[in-house]
Each structure stands twice: as structure tokens, then as C-alpha cells.
Amino acid sequence: MFGYHYRLERKAIGLVLAIIGVASIGGIVEIAPLFTIHQTVEEAPDMRVYTPLELAGRNIYIREGCYACHSQMIRTLRDEVERYGPYSLAVESKYDHPMLWGSKRTGPDLARLGEKYSDEWHVVHLKNPRDVVPESVMPAYAWLARNELRTSDLGAHLRAQRAVGVPYTDAMIANAATDAYGQAAPDSSAAEGVVERYGKATTVRAFDGAPERLTEMDALVAYLQILGRLTDAAHKPVTAAKE
Amino acid sequence: MLGQLTIGERQAALAMLVVLAVVGLAMAAAGHDDPLGGQGAIVIIAALAGIFGLISVYYQPAPAAERLERYYDDPTKAGIVIAMIWAVIGLFVGDWVAWLLVNPDLTFDAAWSSFGRIRPVHTTAVIFGFGGNALIATSLYVLQRTSRARLPDQLSPWFVVYGYNLFCILAVTGYLAGITQSKEYAEPEWYADFWLVVVWLVYFSIYLRTLARRKEPHIYVANWYYMAFILVVAVLHIVNNLAVPVSLGSAKSYSLFSGVQDAMTQWWYGHNAVAFFLTAGFLGMMYYYLPKRAGRPIFSYRMSIISFWGITFFYMWAGSHHLHYTALPHWVQTLGMTFSVMLLVPSWASAANALLTLNGAWHKVRDDATLRFMMVAAVFYGLSTFEGSFMAIRSVNSLSHYTDWTVGHVHAGALGWVAMITFGSIYASVPWLWKREAMYSARLVEAHFWLAVAGTVVYVFAMWNSGIIQGLMWRTYNESGTLAYSFVDSLVAMHPYYIARAVGGLLFLIGALLGCYNIWMTIRTAPRAADEPVSGRPDSVLAGTPALQPGE
């Protein structure tokens, strides 16, 4: 064995090929089957896609690096299920490009945050977390309510999402900017189209309390309120869920 | 420094920089209403800075042919200085984010200064800025000595140093502007990722072309590790960053994978960024600088073979231990745990090989803080690899995951192993590179050593305590069978440890500042001697290993 190696280390290309070969095996065995074994991701016929406003909110969540302190993955442990809710299923992040499971809980898990608190609570909390949770160490995000949400390129965002496998229709892509506006303006004519395209379960509300303006606060709160609510699969009996 | 470029290389460099400026202009134009525009402006500024640098040497006479008889160390010198600058930036930002968890209102109501945006600035600056530049600089130095061959040309190493730092600058300025993929340690967006691939290919071509010119029949063990670092990081980087940009005028992209597949790919990347960036590369550093500084050959050639292939094979399976009890299928979690535990064998073989090499040189460890940096690095390497295997066990992980224990573990490795071996190697190579007798002040090296050790120990103990308390509070039940503590209760309990951690980080930062001053004074003040010629015979210390002896 050592004699063989003694010859191998005299050949640069041989060493290169050996390194690539030896290093590739683990990834191939562990990752490739995840795409082919169909039990890896559960079936959930009621799974819906993010609306343009929720997707924009998700992009703000990504932009601000919220994943550094908040996980979105409830583990199959008793205390986690009792603290946060039913454990997370793979199907729940099926349309998450990228996933935001996170690795650290400086703040609590957010996988089941949707509709746990009111929109008003979220707005106050995001403007200054210490107004509602005095011990909090979360940064204040007051400027979100001042920033107009950029909607002009939302169609392109949906198109890119479709390219990586999220089933957005042509109508969704064509109306992305209007739908983003409509979802946060319940009394406007644009509101109906959102429900029509994304289903009756869609939440249409003035998330930041000001329907006349579409802000980054609207988008982020809309996203936080949909967390854990894209499908009911996790709330069904265990037999329907895992494997 | 750039005056050593030949006339042809100067022209080629100028042409490339003009192309780069045009690319920057295109980015700025296409992304005029997008954060990409600002990144384009940075590319233009970087290209212009390069052009001015070149013009200042453009009309100098061509370098003499006798330069080819010597090793080419200018890019290494630049890389070491840049690495120290990144160390100070990265450690400063790290300490700043640590204080943000003590006092969250230090953000001045601005977007760029919140924890989520500057935390990746810290990680990128220390891992890629400090660590990456130190690896590139030392690898070019070690490659030439152990091959007894000069680098194949003078332009490509400069391309790598310049291009790599452009990548780092685009990355950290991008985070401040809100550009991130939100994949840990793979935050830079598609255009920066693409650029890094180009730089990396050139870097690897330098390796292959220099090895092709080597006068030493055997490739020395340090180079196996440096090559594994370059090759595997390329594979990881490309696969994990596959993404579809929103448009060519947008900084934003969507990852090709989603959900569970994305999570597995990310942690296959994430854990092996630790393995091949923060371990393999720095083991390469250790296998050269530690025996050279101690004046002793590596203890066992066979142990280095076993640990090299063990690390290269086992590590790639271990990533799934980041996903215990998640929606990742159970069989993948089990594989990850199993291989993580087996990984202890090659890891400890490396650490033992390093420490046993010091047998017969322990009096030097006592007297020489530079060698002591390397010794302590090997000890921390052994400790943190043991801790890593331990934390990868599923039931331990159920407590440690999501807590500060992980943060403590990472810093035991990053401060105790990566930074210590780097500081030791830099203190060893600065006098060699700049032809000085010794560092400007041995006492400052000594002070740096103790600040670094104290800072690391304070940091790691604080995070062990806070992490374990956190994990226990989350799972504690009271007598009525309900959870005893709210999340906020656990947060309040962290406060003293967050202060201690920030103090530990500050000590480490002060040490690095002393190091910068010491290096600066060494470069500036001490007398010069002649450049080092390409050696005619094998290195006497390294050749003490059977690796470089004929027949076995």
C-alpha cells in the first residue's frame, strides 16, 4: 500500500485524479438519491406557491440575513414540537429556492410563525423589537416601513423561479406587480385577481396598516404570516406524513 | 513589486484590466436600478486601481534574466500583508457583531449595520479574506521550495491574488448592500461566484505547471493538502452555487435546488468548506512550516498518508450531521454521523503527527513563540476535531444544535487552529521573505501569543457555557409536564456569556493588531540580504522524512 503510494505521489495528474475520485464518493452516495427516491419529499396536493408579495418578503428576509439567528426547521423532538408546533416536513420547503432551514437559534424558530401574532404585532415588533419584547436582542428594522417595495421586476423573479421548478403560470408572471399591490390593498380592484390566481386561502390584508402604500414592511409581514401555512400536511396524522 | 513583470506580461495585464473595466461598466449599466450597479462601480474602481498601478511601472526596464534563477515571492509577500489586513477587518467586525448581541441598539437605524448583514462580513473576511489569502500566499511559497522550481510565470500569481481579493471585496460590500444568497459561507451571488471559478482555475493551473517543472521527483505532503484544498473547494463551490439569475441586470439569483436537496447540498458544501478550506489547506501549511521551524522532519510519513486519504474520503460524507432530526431522510443522517465519528482517526493522526514531530524540539517550543503558535494550533486541531465528532453523534446533537455550542466549536477551530497555525506560519515566513534575521520584536510575538490563547479560551468557554445552558433550558420540563422556560428566559440567561465572548474576541483582535505592527516594523526597519536562489538540492529538514528518500 505504501509502496503504491510512493509511486502515486510522483505523478501530479494521478494524484489529482485520485483526490477527485476519492472525494466525490460521499457526495454522490448521499445527495444523488435525494433526487430519485420519491419518499424523500412527501405528497401534499394542497401545497401552494408563494404570491409575488410573499416572495418579495422572503427576499427581504434573505437580504437582511434573518437566517443567521432564526431557523425554519422544527426537529422531531418532543420539546421542539411542544414549543413551536408540528415538526417540519420536507414538502413544506419544496418551493424554497434556497431553503432557509438555518443553523442557529439566537431567536426562536419561525417555521410555524404564520398567523401566530397579528399584523400589528409584527409591524411594531419589526420597527423596534424591544417595544413588545423588552429582553429582545434583535435589531430594529424601522426603515422597512419607510422603503417603497420594488415591484417592477417581480415578473422576472417569478420567471426565474419557474426556471428552477416552481409552477408559476403565465398569468401569474404577467400580473406579478399588480398582484403584489393587490394583496396589500384589500379594497382595491387588484385584490380579486390575487385570490383568483393563488387560491381562496390567500391572505389579502393591508399588512402594514396603510393600504395606500406598498412598503417592504407589507412584503415581509405577508411572508412571516404565511410561514408554515403553504400546506396542511404537517398537521395531518403521522401516517400520512413520514415515509 | 510589479516592476518584475516582463514587458509582455505588463501588456497582457493591462489588456485584462481594460476588459475588467468594461465588464464593470456593463454591470453598472445593466444594473443601474439594482444593487448590481453598485457592484459594477466597485469593479470599475478596482480595474482603474490596477491600471494605475501598472502604468506606474510600465516604462521601467524589463527585469533581468537572472531572476529566473530565483524563487518568485512578490505575490506571496503581497498575500501575507493583505491577509493581515483582512484579519484585522474580520476580527473587528466579528467583535462588533458580538457586542450587537449585548447591545442591539448599536445599529444607528441603518440597514447596512444590522446583525444579519454584517455577520457574513465577519465570516467572509476571516475565512476567505484572512484564511484564503494566507493559503494562497503560503501555498505559492511552499510549492516553489518543495518542488525546487520557480513559478511558471509572473502574471498568473498576480492574477490570482488580485482576482481573489476582488471576489472578497465584492462579497463583503454586497452583503452591506443586501446582496446575499443566504447560504452560509456561500453568500456571494452568481456573478461573484462565477468570477471566483475563473480565479480558481488559474490558481490550479499555477500548481500543475509548477509541479510539471519540479526538480524533486516526489510531490511533498504539504502539496497534497494544498491540491486537495484547491480541487475539492472548486467542486463544492460550483455545485452548491448552481443558480438561475433573475436577469443579467440583477444581482439576485434563485438556487437551482430547493428544500431538502438544497439543505443537503448546502451542508455538504458547508461542512467541507471547513474540511478542505479550513482543514486541508492549513494542514498543508502545517506540514511545511512546523517541521521547518522546529528543524525536525515530519514524525511519520505513513501517518501522513493515512490521515491525508482518510480526511479526503471521510469528510465528504459528514455534512449531513448538520441536519440531525430534520426533514432529511434518516439514512443520510446516520451515514453523516457514522463518518463523522470515523473522521476522528485521520484527524488525530494528523494532530499526533504534528506533535510527535516536536519530539526533540520541545525546548524550542518553550523559547520560541512562533513555534508555540504552531504547537498550540495542533493541540486545538486535536481538541476541536474530537469535539466535532462528538457533536455529530445524533443524541449529542439534539442538545447542541441551534445553540451557541456550535459557535464555540467553530471558534475553537477557527481561532485555536486556523488562526494560530497561520500566525505561526506568517511569523516564520516574514523574516525569510523579506530577508531579515528575525521578526522586529520577539516580545511582541510573545504578547500576541498569550493574547490569542487567552482570547480563544475566554471565547470558547463562554460559548460552551451559554450553548449548553441554552440547550438544557429549551428541553427542561417542570413537574406538571410542561416546558419550564420560555425562549426569552433562555435569551436572558445568555447575556453574561455574550459579554464574555465579546471580551475574548477583543483580546484576539488586539493580538492581531500587535502582529500587524510587528510585521510592518520588520518589513520597514531591519537590513536586507540577497534573494533566495532556486535550490540545487533537496531541503535538508524536509528530506529527513522518508517521503523524499529513495527506495522503500
Side-chain angles (χ1 to χ4, degrees):
Chain A
M1 177 189 158
F2 293 107
Y4 175 74
H5 198 275
Y6 194 71
R7 289 190 296 280
L8 176 67
E9 68 191 44
R10 296 171 69 114
K11 297 182 179 64
I13 299 295
L15 203 54
V16 166
L17 294 177
I19 290 171
I20 293 180
V22 167
S24 301
I25 300 167
I28 291 170
V29 173
E30 289 188 350
I31 299 178
L34 299 180
F35 291 92
T36 55
I37 300 175
H38 69 272
Q39 291 100 322
T40 302
V41 180
E42 307 83 356
E43 299 283 331
D46 64 335
M47 180 74 187
R48 75 165 182 83
V49 297
Y50 293 109
T51 65
L53 187 65
E54 290 154 7
L55 183 68
R58 189 170 196 274
N59 287 339
I60 292 167
Y61 184 100
I62 288 172
R63 182 186 78 191
E64 301 306 334
C66 305
Y67 68 93
C69 295
H70 294 285
S71 57
Q72 291 186 21
M73 172 49 63
I74 302 168
R75 295 180 293 169
T76 53
L77 299 168
R78 177 183 162 197
D79 59 290
E80 297 220 348
V81 170
E82 288 182 11
R83 188 181 296 280
Y84 299 115
Y87 58 80
S88 301
L89 301 183
V91 66
E92 294 182 272
S93 46
K94 182 165 104 169
Y95 296 140
D96 285 7
H97 296 265
M99 57 83 211
L100 294 171
W101 292 10
S103 63
K104 178 72 172 66
R105 284 181 188 152
T106 305
D109 187 275
L110 302 183
R112 308 249 170 261
L113 183 67
E115 302 298 339
K116 198 170 170 182
Y117 302 91
S118 67
D119 295 343
E120 294 74 29
W121 186 91
H122 279 297
V123 172
V124 172
H125 180 253
L126 285 165
K127 281 183 179 169
N128 184 15
R130 278 154 293 289
D131 284 349
V132 279
V133 185
E135 305 88 348
S136 171
V137 295
M138 182 169 131
Y141 290 94
W143 76 88
L144 291 176
R146 301 195 290 267
N147 284 5
E148 209 78 41
L149 182 71
R150 183 180 168 197
T151 56
S152 56
D153 61 348
L154 276 175
H157 280 263
L158 262 54
R159 212 175 302 116
Q161 285 262 303
R162 184 158 75 179
V164 294
V166 184
Y168 284 110
T169 63
D170 290 336
M172 289 170 171
I173 292 172
N175 293 293
T178 329
D179 286 348
Y181 171 75
Q183 196 182 350
D187 298 329
S188 73
S189 56
E192 285 170 27
V194 184
V195 178
E196 186 188 314
R197 276 180 283 279
Y198 293 91
K200 279 204 282 291
T202 312
T203 322
V204 178
R205 287 199 301 252
F207 293 97
D208 69 352
E212 66 287 352
R213 278 182 80 220
L214 185 62
T215 61
E216 295 189 336
M217 185 66 88
D218 278 310
L220 185 57
V221 174
Y223 172 63
L224 296 177
Q225 294 290 33
I226 196 65
L227 284 173
R229 297 178 57 247
L230 291 174
T231 167
D232 285 335
H235 296 271
K236 290 181 182 147
V238 179
T239 46
K242 284 237 142 177
E243 291 178 59
Chain B
M1 270 187 164
L2 292 175
Q4 286 292 308
L5 296 179
T6 64
I7 306 293
E9 285 173 335
R10 290 173 204 175
Q11 289 165 344
L14 210 51
M16 282 192 259
L17 286 165
V18 170
V19 171
L20 184 67
V22 172
V23 171
L25 201 60
M27 283 169 71
H32 62 89
D33 58 350
D34 189 273
L36 185 70
Q39 298 274 284
I42 289 169
V43 173
I44 296 173
I45 293 168
L48 289 178
I51 289 171
F52 278 116
L54 263 177
I55 287 176
S56 67
V57 301
Y58 195 81
Y59 292 107
Q60 285 182 11
E66 68 207 31
R67 75 182 191 284
L68 299 174
E69 305 302 314
R70 296 189 302 269
Y71 295 128
Y72 187 50
D73 288 332
D74 290 350
T76 301
K77 291 179 180 176
I80 283 179
V81 171
I82 296 168
M84 289 304 293
I85 295 170
W86 277 112
V88 170
I89 295 171
L91 293 169
F92 171 75
V93 177
D95 205 44
W96 182 4
V97 291
W99 287 110
L100 273 181
L101 291 183
V102 177
N103 179 1
D105 287 320
L106 289 170
T107 56
F108 335 112
D109 194 27
W112 64 270
S113 60
S114 60
F115 184 94
R117 289 203 190 183
I118 58 178
R119 187 256 186 184
V121 173
H122 160 61
T123 55
T124 298
V126 291
I127 298 173
F128 297 108
F130 171 54
N133 274 297
L135 286 174
I136 290 172
T138 57
S139 70
L140 297 177
Y141 181 93
V142 172
L143 173 64
Q144 297 182 84
R145 268 69 183 180
T146 54
S147 305
R148 284 191 288 130
R150 182 185 164 91
L151 296 178
D153 69 312
Q154 296 155 125
L155 183 54
S156 52
W158 282 112
F159 180 91
V160 172
V161 172
Y162 174 89
Y164 182 76
N165 282 287
L166 177 59
F167 164 80
C168 294
I169 290 169
L170 286 176
V172 298
T173 55
Y175 310 149
L176 295 177
I179 303 171
T180 170
Q181 294 193 103
S182 80
K183 290 182 152 200
E184 275 183 271
Y185 320 115
E187 290 93 349
E189 270 289 359
W190 61 276
Y191 54 92
D193 291 336
F194 182 79
W195 173 241
L196 184 62
V197 173
V198 174
V199 171
W200 221 242
L201 289 175
V202 175
Y203 184 24
F204 189 58
S205 83
I206 295 176
Y207 240 86
L208 284 188
R209 286 184 296 151
T210 308
L211 286 177
R213 297 149 51 90
R214 73 185 186 277
K215 297 195 192 78
E216 198 69 65
H218 288 271
I219 300 171
Y220 182 62
V221 52
N223 291 319
W224 314 345
Y225 280 104
Y226 280 125
M227 281 161 77
F229 145 65
I230 301 171
L231 283 168
V232 182
V233 165
V235 173
L236 297 164
H237 172 77
I238 291 170
V239 174
N240 190 44
N241 285 302
L242 292 173
V244 175
V246 168
S247 74
L248 288 179
S250 170
K252 173 85 186 158
S253 70
Y254 288 104
S255 149
L256 190 59
F257 309 127
S258 70
V260 62
Q261 292 94 355
D262 188 45
M264 184 57 220
T265 310
Q266 158 61 22
W267 287 111
W268 167 77
Y269 166 91
H271 196 73
N272 289 296
V274 175
F276 288 88
F277 210 98
L278 297 180
T279 303
F282 291 90
L283 282 170
M285 208 184 263
M286 185 195 80
Y287 270 107
Y288 181 81
Y289 289 96
L290 184 129
K292 282 292 279 185
R293 186 75 183 188
R296 308 271 310 163
I298 281 293
F299 170 73
S300 164
Y301 163 65
R302 294 182 174 193
M303 258 164 93
S304 23
I305 292 177
I306 290 169
S307 45
F308 175 75
W309 292 106
I311 283 172
T312 307
F313 181 64
F314 289 162
Y315 248 118
M316 297 299 272
W317 297 74
S320 52
H321 70 226
H322 289 252
L323 299 168
H324 280 323
Y325 298 102
T326 68
L328 181 75
H330 207 69
W331 64 268
V332 195
Q333 300 178 20
T334 308
L335 274 178
M337 170 170 76
T338 312
F339 277 86
S340 304
V341 172
M342 292 197 286
L343 198 49
L344 190 60
V345 174
S347 299
W348 271 25
S350 297
N353 213 358
L355 292 174
L356 290 169
T357 298
L358 293 171
N359 269 352
W362 286 101
H363 61 288
K364 291 186 187 169
V365 176
R366 183 192 62 204
D367 298 335
D368 176 10
T370 301
L371 188 58
R372 213 178 314 125
F373 260 118
M374 302 186 203
M375 185 277 287
V376 169
V379 171
F380 268 102
Y381 176 67
L383 286 176
S384 43
T385 47
F386 173 78
E387 188 187 22
S389 294
F390 181 61
M391 291 168 78
I393 297 169
R394 200 185 268 119
S395 47
V396 180
N397 194 269
S398 74
L399 179 85
S400 74
H401 194 53
Y402 293 136
T403 73
D404 286 322
W405 189 356
T406 312
V407 182
H409 167 61
V410 169
H411 284 82
L415 301 176
W417 155 239
V418 173
M420 298 267 193
I421 191 71
T422 306
F423 288 136
S425 303
I426 287 180
Y427 282 134
S429 43
V430 164
W432 298 340
L433 279 165
W434 274 274
K435 319 300 168 202
R436 307 289 191 257
E437 291 276 304
M439 288 296 296
Y440 164 73
S441 162
R443 291 182 63 187
L444 280 177
V445 179
E446 193 74 38
H448 182 187
F449 172 79
W450 287 109
L451 281 166
V453 171
T456 306
V457 169
V458 169
Y459 190 112
V460 171
F461 269 89
M463 291 294 95
W464 277 342
N465 278 294
S466 77
I468 292 171
I469 291 173
Q470 214 171 8
L472 290 174
M473 284 178 86
W474 290 346
R475 57 162 61 171
T476 301
Y477 283 84
N478 55 28
E479 283 159 7
S480 57
T482 54
L483 291 167
Y485 300 102
S486 71
F487 190 88
V488 165
D489 291 336
S490 73
L491 184 67
V492 172
M494 298 307 100
H495 190 72
Y497 303 109
Y498 284 173
I499 295 174
R501 177 254 298 270
V503 170
L506 189 62
L507 295 178
F508 206 87
L509 169 64
I510 294 169
L513 285 169
L514 291 186
C516 285
Y517 173 75
N518 202 358
I519 290 168
W520 177 246
M521 292 307 282
T522 309
I523 296 172
R524 244 191 47 173
T525 53
R528 286 181 170 277
D531 278 341
E532 185 184 351
V534 172
S535 175
R537 51 198 172 73
D539 184 287
S540 56
V541 172
L542 303 178
T545 62
L548 300 175
Q549 279 174 357
E552 185 174 20

